């Protein structure tokens, strides 16, 4: 069974750094992109970017480029989302999601999801 | 970026009703559209992909249609477990973008 398990909720002060994780199991971790999606309180879904765990190639949304870093460690089947200096506006739920093929030919970029990590940034 | 305009933003309906949610893309997306639903505190779940293909395990009361820029999700007969928020998402090109969501509430 494919599983994505994310790290636990975080409470941080503005200006602090943070790294949250998404650990994959039940499949070959290097075979599928991992995406990160933000959901601010009471709001919709925003795609932040993705990483190919096989070579750590990344692709960011322009809205998030330069503000977050996506990385992966294939030796432990984990992807990461990192901030060097948090802002109050980073308060949100963050989901990782894996792409997959259906019926052997239709690609679904966000087919399997982690449970989400709630990040709260407050002084 | 491709903008996705979803309507309505909220919808009040009863069990057994037929409901329709629409999404319009700012450019043609060649059926590269998925529909999700999300319950409070939970991750989104894929319902349909490639505009009209039903994800494994999803009830057949859900269906999708459309082409070019305009797409539709239909629930043929609402069940109690269907009251949730629904999102469309284009994956024709990155950055992937979502509609604003439709909150489906019990009348």
């Amino acid at each position: 069974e494919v599983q994505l398990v994310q790290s636990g909720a975080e409470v941080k002060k503005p200006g602090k750094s943070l790294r949250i994780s998404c650990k994959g199991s039940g499949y070959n971790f290097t075979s599928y992109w991992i995406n990160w999606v933000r959901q601010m309180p009471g709001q919709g879904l925003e795609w932040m970017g993705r990483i190919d765990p096989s070579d750590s190639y990344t692709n960011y949304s322009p809205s998030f480029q330069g503000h977050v870093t996506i990385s992966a460690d294939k030796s432990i089947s984990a992807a990461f989302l990192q901030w060097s200096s948090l802002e109050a506006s980073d308060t949100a739920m963050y989901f990782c999601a894996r792409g997959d093929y259906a019926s052997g030919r239709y690609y679904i970029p966000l087919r399997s999801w982690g449970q989400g990590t709630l990040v709260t940034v407050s002084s | 970026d491709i903008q996705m305009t979803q309507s309505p933003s909220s919808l009040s309906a009863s069990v057994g009703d037929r409901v329709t949610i629409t999404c319009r893309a700012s450019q043609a997306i060649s059926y590269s559209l998925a529909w999700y639903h999300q319950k409070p505190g939970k991750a989104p779940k894929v319902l349909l992909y490639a505009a009209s293909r039903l994800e494994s395990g999803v009830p057949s009361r859900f269906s999708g249609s459309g082409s070019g820029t305009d797409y539709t999700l239909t629930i043929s007969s609402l069940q109690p477990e269907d009251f949730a928020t629904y999102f469309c998402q284009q994956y024709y090109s990155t950055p992937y973008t979502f509609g604003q969501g439709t909150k489906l509430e019990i009348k």
Side-chain angles (χ1 to χ4, degrees), chain A residues 3-18:
Chain A
Q3 277 199 309
L4 296 173
V5 178
Q6 298 185 229
S7 50
E10 301 273 3
V11 179
K12 291 286 189 179
K13 294 188 184 303
K16 295 297 187 183
S17 63
L18 175 64

Side-chain angles (χ1 to χ4, degrees), chain A residues 4-72:
Chain A
L4 296 173
V5 178
Q6 298 185 229
S7 50
E10 301 273 3
V11 179
K12 291 286 189 179
K13 294 188 184 303
K16 295 297 187 183
S17 63
L18 175 64
R19 188 177 82 163
I20 62 175
S21 67
C22 170
K23 187 169 174 59
S25 62
Y27 72 100
N28 184 350
F29 186 72
T30 59
S31 295
Y32 300 92
W33 292 82
I34 293 286
N35 301 261
W36 287 95
V37 175
R38 182 175 80 172
Q39 188 168 37
M40 299 177 77
Q43 302 301 309
L45 302 166
E46 301 171 274
W47 183 78
M48 303 174 72
R50 62 182 180 174
I51 188 164
D52 179 346
S54 67
D55 61 5
S56 289
Y57 175 81
T58 52
N59 179 201
Y60 291 91
S61 165
S63 299
F64 294 92
Q65 178 93 46
H67 187 61
V68 296
T69 301
I70 296 172
S71 60

Side-chain angles (χ1 to χ4, degrees), chain B residues 57-96:
Chain B
V58 173
S60 59
R61 62 181 180 272
F62 291 93
S63 63
S65 63
S67 63
T69 61
D70 295 330
Y71 298 86
T72 299
L73 169 70
T74 299
I75 310 172
S76 60
S77 177
L78 276 173
Q79 298 303 300
E81 60 268 29
D82 299 336
F83 292 94
T85 300
Y86 291 79
F87 295 95
C88 61
Q89 179 232 340
Q90 68 80 18
Y91 52 94
Y92 181 75
S93 64
T94 60
Y96 301 142

Side-chain angles (χ1 to χ4, degrees), chain B residues 45-69:
Chain B
K45 178 187 172 185
V46 174
L47 301 171
L48 296 118
Y49 59 92
S52 63
R53 302 194 73 86
L54 202 63
E55 169 69 311
S56 175
V58 173
S60 59
R61 62 181 180 272
F62 291 93
S63 63
S65 63
S67 63
T69 61

